Amino acid sequence: MPRNRLRLAGALAAVLIAAGIATGPPAQAHEKPATLAQLAERHGRYFGSATDNPELTDTAYTALLGSEFDMITPGNGMKWYATEPQQGVFDWTNGDQIVNLARAHHQRVRAHTLVWHSQLPDWLTSGTWTADELRAVLKKHITTEVRHYRGKVYSWDVVNEAFNEDGTYRDTLWYRTLGPGYIADALRWAHQADPHAKLYLNDYNIEATGPKSDAYYALAKELKARHVPLDGIGLQAHLALQYGYPTSLEDNLRRFSRLGLDTALTEVDVRMQLPATDAKLAEQATWYRDLTEACLAVRRCAGVTVWDYTDRYSWIPAFFPGEGAALPWDEQLAPKPAYDALREALR
């Protein structure tokens, strides 16, 4: 096109725009806002939520669960009491329901959890076991469950909450009977059953550097040196305003990455002493923004999962009387300041 015609076309476009006449695609203002998952994906991260089977009949809840997140964690459906209620008798009902829901919404699954001291069936906790017997029981459970979900899950929290606050091993059925080697064994068995799933150790109160997170750092370093299959450390991040923000979180994430490990914030909530006030909700929002920014600042932090996304289904009030309001959506599924802060961090 000759130059004078180009100038004429440009002038005409300017006149049309000034007159308010659309000359191109619809304005972006009318587009649907990006979800937390879509915003996180731009950084190469995921943004997930835990869920549990009883709430899956709540259609308003599942609509948000299915649209806002790209990673789902079963809160209880894959724990030992649910999956092997009688010795050698396995029940996949609850775990399968959540995996199928996630797949229907094109979401991945962080599977949780294979080895824990809590929520074990009575046949296991009331039994008297030799080391050989318990080792066989543990191997069979891990192998059977991981094989069942082989190819269907992104990762496993293989061992959950193995240490005390002072960095000593937690006195559990597993530790008492099998010694600390049960952790390496569990990782090896899980890897054999599904070589493609990422394998994590997961715990609370390890967000900041300190005795407990130091214990995980030392263990992870040792396991890596022995070529035990370990892919990541899950920092649960069950936080509470009254105890202060873990300011060394980013440094802590970074030191695990230097070992060649992924990290993830796996069970995030930020509780407060009730009643909630505007000031507390604003502080909570700052914490959500800061912890998300810490993950984004460390390349090997894979993503963030909130421990369910709404106060309607939070575990906090039942376990911490007088506390709550811990999640980015309130009991009416309305977004709180924390939700806006998450969006701000992910932008």
Short mmCIF file of all heavy atoms in Angstrom, two decimals, residues 130-158:
data_model
loop_
_atom_site.label_atom_id
_atom_site.label_comp_id
_atom_site.label_asym_id
_atom_site.label_seq_id
_atom_site.Cartn_x
_atom_site.Cartn_y
_atom_site.Cartn_z
N THR A 130 6.61 -57.70 65.27
CA THR A 130 8.07 -57.76 65.20
C THR A 130 8.51 -56.81 64.08
O THR A 130 7.69 -56.39 63.24
CB THR A 130 8.56 -59.17 64.86
OG1 THR A 130 8.14 -59.51 63.54
CG2 THR A 130 8.01 -60.19 65.86
N ALA A 131 9.79 -56.50 64.03
CA ALA A 131 10.30 -55.62 62.98
C ALA A 131 10.05 -56.22 61.60
O ALA A 131 9.61 -55.52 60.68
CB ALA A 131 11.79 -55.35 63.19
N ASP A 132 10.28 -57.52 61.44
CA ASP A 132 10.08 -58.16 60.14
C ASP A 132 8.61 -58.11 59.72
O ASP A 132 8.30 -57.87 58.56
CB ASP A 132 10.56 -59.61 60.18
CG ASP A 132 12.08 -59.72 60.17
OD1 ASP A 132 12.75 -58.69 59.86
OD2 ASP A 132 12.61 -60.81 60.47
N GLU A 133 7.72 -58.35 60.69
CA GLU A 133 6.29 -58.33 60.38
C GLU A 133 5.83 -56.93 59.95
O GLU A 133 5.13 -56.77 58.95
CB GLU A 133 5.48 -58.78 61.60
CG GLU A 133 5.60 -60.27 61.92
CD GLU A 133 5.02 -60.62 63.28
OE1 GLU A 133 4.83 -59.72 64.13
OE2 GLU A 133 4.75 -61.82 63.51
N LEU A 134 6.24 -55.94 60.73
CA LEU A 134 5.79 -54.58 60.43
C LEU A 134 6.39 -54.07 59.12
O LEU A 134 5.73 -53.37 58.34
CB LEU A 134 6.13 -53.62 61.57
CG LEU A 134 5.47 -52.24 61.46
CD1 LEU A 134 3.96 -52.34 61.51
CD2 LEU A 134 5.97 -51.30 62.55
N ARG A 135 7.63 -54.43 58.88
CA ARG A 135 8.28 -54.04 57.63
C ARG A 135 7.51 -54.62 56.43
O ARG A 135 7.27 -53.93 55.43
CB ARG A 135 9.72 -54.53 57.64
CG ARG A 135 10.54 -54.16 56.41
CD ARG A 135 11.96 -54.71 56.58
NE ARG A 135 12.64 -54.77 55.30
CZ ARG A 135 13.31 -53.77 54.74
NH1 ARG A 135 13.38 -52.61 55.37
NH2 ARG A 135 13.90 -53.92 53.58
N ALA A 136 7.07 -55.87 56.55
CA ALA A 136 6.31 -56.51 55.47
C ALA A 136 4.96 -55.82 55.28
O ALA A 136 4.51 -55.63 54.14
CB ALA A 136 6.13 -58.00 55.76
N VAL A 137 4.30 -55.47 56.38
CA VAL A 137 3.01 -54.78 56.32
C VAL A 137 3.18 -53.42 55.63
O VAL A 137 2.37 -53.03 54.77
CB VAL A 137 2.44 -54.60 57.74
CG1 VAL A 137 1.31 -53.57 57.76
CG2 VAL A 137 1.93 -55.93 58.28
N LEU A 138 4.23 -52.69 56.02
CA LEU A 138 4.47 -51.37 55.45
C LEU A 138 4.78 -51.46 53.96
O LEU A 138 4.24 -50.69 53.15
CB LEU A 138 5.62 -50.68 56.20
CG LEU A 138 5.95 -49.25 55.79
CD1 LEU A 138 4.77 -48.33 55.99
CD2 LEU A 138 7.17 -48.74 56.59
N LYS A 139 5.64 -52.40 53.60
CA LYS A 139 5.99 -52.55 52.19
C LYS A 139 4.77 -52.90 51.34
O LYS A 139 4.56 -52.34 50.26
CB LYS A 139 7.07 -53.64 52.03
CG LYS A 139 7.50 -53.81 50.58
CD LYS A 139 8.61 -54.86 50.44
CE LYS A 139 9.06 -54.97 48.98
NZ LYS A 139 10.16 -55.96 48.82
N LYS A 140 3.94 -53.81 51.85
CA LYS A 140 2.75 -54.22 51.09
C LYS A 140 1.80 -53.04 50.92
O LYS A 140 1.24 -52.83 49.83
CB LYS A 140 2.03 -55.37 51.78
CG LYS A 140 0.80 -55.83 51.01
CD LYS A 140 0.09 -57.00 51.65
CE LYS A 140 -1.12 -57.40 50.81
NZ LYS A 140 -1.85 -58.55 51.41
N HIS A 141 1.61 -52.27 51.98
CA HIS A 141 0.67 -51.13 51.90
C HIS A 141 1.16 -50.10 50.88
O HIS A 141 0.40 -49.66 50.02
CB HIS A 141 0.50 -50.47 53.27
CG HIS A 141 -0.44 -49.31 53.23
ND1 HIS A 141 -1.81 -49.45 53.30
CD2 HIS A 141 -0.21 -47.98 53.07
CE1 HIS A 141 -2.38 -48.26 53.19
NE2 HIS A 141 -1.43 -47.35 53.05
N ILE A 142 2.42 -49.71 51.00
CA ILE A 142 2.96 -48.70 50.08
C ILE A 142 2.91 -49.20 48.64
O ILE A 142 2.44 -48.50 47.73
CB ILE A 142 4.41 -48.35 50.48
CG1 ILE A 142 4.42 -47.56 51.80
CG2 ILE A 142 5.10 -47.55 49.37
CD1 ILE A 142 5.81 -47.34 52.37
N THR A 143 3.37 -50.43 48.43
CA THR A 143 3.44 -50.97 47.07
C THR A 143 2.05 -51.07 46.45
O THR A 143 1.84 -50.69 45.29
CB THR A 143 4.11 -52.35 47.09
OG1 THR A 143 5.43 -52.21 47.66
CG2 THR A 143 4.22 -52.94 45.70
N THR A 144 1.08 -51.55 47.23
CA THR A 144 -0.27 -51.74 46.70
C THR A 144 -0.93 -50.41 46.38
O THR A 144 -1.53 -50.23 45.31
CB THR A 144 -1.13 -52.52 47.72
OG1 THR A 144 -0.48 -53.75 48.04
CG2 THR A 144 -2.51 -52.83 47.14
N GLU A 145 -0.80 -49.43 47.29
CA GLU A 145 -1.47 -48.15 47.06
C GLU A 145 -0.81 -47.37 45.92
O GLU A 145 -1.50 -46.82 45.05
CB GLU A 145 -1.48 -47.30 48.34
CG GLU A 145 -2.22 -45.99 48.13
CD GLU A 145 -2.65 -45.31 49.42
OE1 GLU A 145 -2.23 -45.74 50.52
OE2 GLU A 145 -3.41 -44.34 49.32
N VAL A 146 0.51 -47.34 45.90
CA VAL A 146 1.19 -46.57 44.86
C VAL A 146 0.95 -47.22 43.49
O VAL A 146 0.74 -46.51 42.49
CB VAL A 146 2.69 -46.43 45.17
CG1 VAL A 146 3.42 -45.74 44.03
CG2 VAL A 146 2.88 -45.64 46.46
N ARG A 147 0.92 -48.53 43.43
CA ARG A 147 0.62 -49.20 42.15
C ARG A 147 -0.80 -48.89 41.69
O ARG A 147 -1.04 -48.70 40.49
CB ARG A 147 0.79 -50.71 42.29
CG ARG A 147 2.22 -51.18 42.14
CD ARG A 147 2.31 -52.68 42.26
NE ARG A 147 3.69 -53.16 42.16
CZ ARG A 147 4.10 -54.35 42.56
NH1 ARG A 147 3.23 -55.21 43.10
NH2 ARG A 147 5.35 -54.71 42.43
N HIS A 148 -1.73 -48.84 42.63
CA HIS A 148 -3.12 -48.55 42.26
C HIS A 148 -3.23 -47.18 41.58
O HIS A 148 -3.98 -47.03 40.61
CB HIS A 148 -4.03 -48.59 43.48
CG HIS A 148 -5.45 -48.24 43.17
ND1 HIS A 148 -6.33 -49.13 42.59
CD2 HIS A 148 -6.14 -47.07 43.30
CE1 HIS A 148 -7.50 -48.54 42.39
NE2 HIS A 148 -7.42 -47.28 42.82
N TYR A 149 -2.47 -46.21 42.07
CA TYR A 149 -2.55 -44.85 41.52
C TYR A 149 -1.41 -44.54 40.54
O TYR A 149 -1.23 -43.38 40.16
CB TYR A 149 -2.57 -43.82 42.67
CG TYR A 149 -3.88 -43.88 43.42
CD1 TYR A 149 -3.94 -44.39 44.72
CD2 TYR A 149 -5.07 -43.45 42.83
CE1 TYR A 149 -5.14 -44.46 45.40
CE2 TYR A 149 -6.27 -43.53 43.50
CZ TYR A 149 -6.31 -44.03 44.79
OH TYR A 149 -7.51 -44.11 45.45
N ARG A 150 -0.69 -45.57 40.13
CA ARG A 150 0.42 -45.37 39.21
C ARG A 150 -0.06 -44.67 37.93
O ARG A 150 -1.05 -45.07 37.31
CB ARG A 150 1.06 -46.71 38.87
CG ARG A 150 2.23 -46.62 37.91
CD ARG A 150 2.92 -47.97 37.79
NE ARG A 150 3.98 -47.94 36.79
CZ ARG A 150 5.01 -48.78 36.77
NH1 ARG A 150 5.12 -49.71 37.70
NH2 ARG A 150 5.93 -48.70 35.85
N GLY A 151 0.64 -43.62 37.55
CA GLY A 151 0.29 -42.89 36.35
C GLY A 151 -0.88 -41.93 36.51
O GLY A 151 -1.23 -41.21 35.58
N LYS A 152 -1.48 -41.90 37.71
CA LYS A 152 -2.65 -41.05 37.93
C LYS A 152 -2.37 -39.86 38.85
O LYS A 152 -3.23 -39.00 39.02
CB LYS A 152 -3.79 -41.88 38.54
CG LYS A 152 -4.29 -42.99 37.65
CD LYS A 152 -5.39 -43.78 38.34
CE LYS A 152 -5.90 -44.92 37.47
NZ LYS A 152 -6.94 -45.72 38.16
N VAL A 153 -1.18 -39.87 39.49
CA VAL A 153 -0.87 -38.79 40.44
C VAL A 153 0.48 -38.16 40.09
O VAL A 153 1.37 -38.81 39.55
CB VAL A 153 -0.88 -39.28 41.90
CG1 VAL A 153 -2.22 -39.90 42.26
CG2 VAL A 153 0.25 -40.26 42.19
N TYR A 154 0.60 -36.89 40.45
CA TYR A 154 1.82 -36.12 40.20
C TYR A 154 2.90 -36.48 41.22
O TYR A 154 4.08 -36.61 40.87
CB TYR A 154 1.48 -34.64 40.29
CG TYR A 154 2.65 -33.70 40.50
CD1 TYR A 154 3.48 -33.36 39.44
CD2 TYR A 154 2.89 -33.12 41.75
CE1 TYR A 154 4.55 -32.48 39.62
CE2 TYR A 154 3.95 -32.25 41.94
CZ TYR A 154 4.77 -31.93 40.88
OH TYR A 154 5.82 -31.07 41.07
N SER A 155 2.49 -36.64 42.48
CA SER A 155 3.48 -36.85 43.54
C SER A 155 2.83 -37.57 44.71
O SER A 155 1.60 -37.67 44.80
CB SER A 155 4.05 -35.51 44.02
OG SER A 155 3.03 -34.74 44.64
N TRP A 156 3.69 -38.04 45.63
CA TRP A 156 3.26 -38.63 46.89
C TRP A 156 3.95 -37.93 48.07
O TRP A 156 5.17 -37.70 48.02
CB TRP A 156 3.63 -40.11 46.96
CG TRP A 156 2.66 -41.02 46.29
CD1 TRP A 156 2.78 -41.59 45.05
CD2 TRP A 156 1.41 -41.47 46.82
NE1 TRP A 156 1.67 -42.36 44.78
CE2 TRP A 156 0.81 -42.30 45.84
CE3 TRP A 156 0.74 -41.25 48.02
CZ2 TRP A 156 -0.43 -42.91 46.04
CZ3 TRP A 156 -0.50 -41.85 48.21
CH2 TRP A 156 -1.07 -42.68 47.22
N ASP A 157 3.19 -37.61 49.09
CA ASP A 157 3.79 -37.35 50.40
C ASP A 157 4.04 -38.72 51.00
O ASP A 157 3.14 -39.36 51.55
CB ASP A 157 2.84 -36.54 51.29
CG ASP A 157 2.67 -35.11 50.81
OD1 ASP A 157 3.62 -34.58 50.19
OD2 ASP A 157 1.61 -34.51 51.06
N VAL A 158 5.27 -39.19 50.87
CA VAL A 158 5.56 -40.58 51.24
C VAL A 158 5.57 -40.73 52.76
O VAL A 158 4.89 -41.59 53.32
CB VAL A 158 6.89 -41.04 50.62
CG1 VAL A 158 7.21 -42.48 51.06
CG2 VAL A 158 6.82 -40.97 49.10
#
